Amino acid sequence: MATSNDLLIKQRSVIEFLAAERCSAANIHARMKTVYGEMCISDCAVRKWVRIFKGEDFRETILRDRKRSGRPLSASVTAHREKVDCMIRANRRVKQKVIANAVNISKERVHHIVTSALGYRKVSARWVPRQFTIEMKAQRKDMCTQLLELSTVFILA
């Protein structure tokens, strides 16, 4: 399923193609309405893009949205990720608020770094990796084998 942004880019491409074929904005909108149904952009937006693609609008003809200025996500930089990871490895029961105060970033950014970037989740008030590493799998297998051996010795005795 395409995202809404992908759908808008596809529709702008259709408008650019049909405008190059000298179709009217009303005709383009009618044709797009039959294909896209309720997901079709408005008649006003079609007219705006036809003006842009025909060169009547002095803006640059682009299909994708321009990058907007704004505050960068400086809280998710690699240095912060490393600090957060070190703090969690040192103390698996550390709270997000403590990490946020130590690293001097918001709790929301800490939560994003811990769950999305580092892949940890909370289990019994401890941060644990979402997936086992190869070493963890080997250790788990050894422990299970030892328990199985102990249980068979206990049952036979």
Side-chain angles (χ1 to χ4, degrees):
M1 183 75 188
T3 63
S4 62
N5 195 31
D6 292 340
L7 188 62
L8 285 174
I9 292 170
K10 286 179 184 178
Q11 290 182 16
R12 289 177 191 169
S13 299
V14 169
I15 294 169
E16 182 181 26
F17 176 76
L18 293 175
E21 287 191 338
R22 307 264 189 243
C23 292
S24 69
N27 186 12
I28 293 172
H29 184 259
R31 290 172 71 176
M32 288 178 61
K33 193 74 170 171
T34 59
V35 174
Y36 293 107
E38 290 191 20
M39 297 300 292
C40 183
I41 60 177
S42 67
D43 183 48
C44 178
V46 171
R47 291 179 190 282
K48 178 186 92 168
W49 283 105
V50 168
R51 271 196 319 273
I52 291 171
F53 291 132
K54 284 186 176 179
E56 297 170 9
D57 197 340
F58 296 108
R59 292 189 301 171
E60 180 181 335
T61 58
I62 55 167
L63 294 177
R64 298 194 181 276
D65 291 332
R66 291 188 181 107
K67 295 286 184 192
R68 295 185 178 104
S69 63
R71 184 176 179 168
L73 293 176
S74 60
S76 296
V77 294
T78 308
H80 290 286
R81 287 187 197 137
E82 290 171 359
K83 288 179 185 176
V84 170
D85 194 28
C86 287
M87 289 183 73
I88 290 174
R89 288 181 188 269
N91 179 10
R92 297 259 185 211
R93 294 184 186 272
V94 67
K95 295 181 180 178
Q96 289 181 7
K97 188 174 185 177
V98 173
I99 296 173
N101 290 336
V103 181
N104 198 20
I105 58 176
S106 69
K107 280 178 30 179
E108 184 272 331
R109 282 286 95 191
V110 170
H111 180 75
H112 173 75
I113 290 171
V114 170
T115 57
S116 299
L118 298 176
Y120 287 106
R121 62 188 175 112
K122 275 283 197 182
V123 175
S124 300
R126 295 178 65 191
W127 290 109
V128 295
R130 284 190 187 263
Q131 296 177 346
F132 289 124
T133 62
I134 295 171
E135 295 84 22
M136 294 171 124
K137 289 178 183 178
Q139 184 182 15
R140 185 174 178 179
K141 181 183 173 193
D142 293 340
M143 289 173 59
C144 290
T145 307
Q146 290 174 1
L147 286 172
L148 185 61
E149 289 172 1
L150 285 174
S151 66
T152 55
V153 169
F154 181 72
I155 292 173
L156 294 176

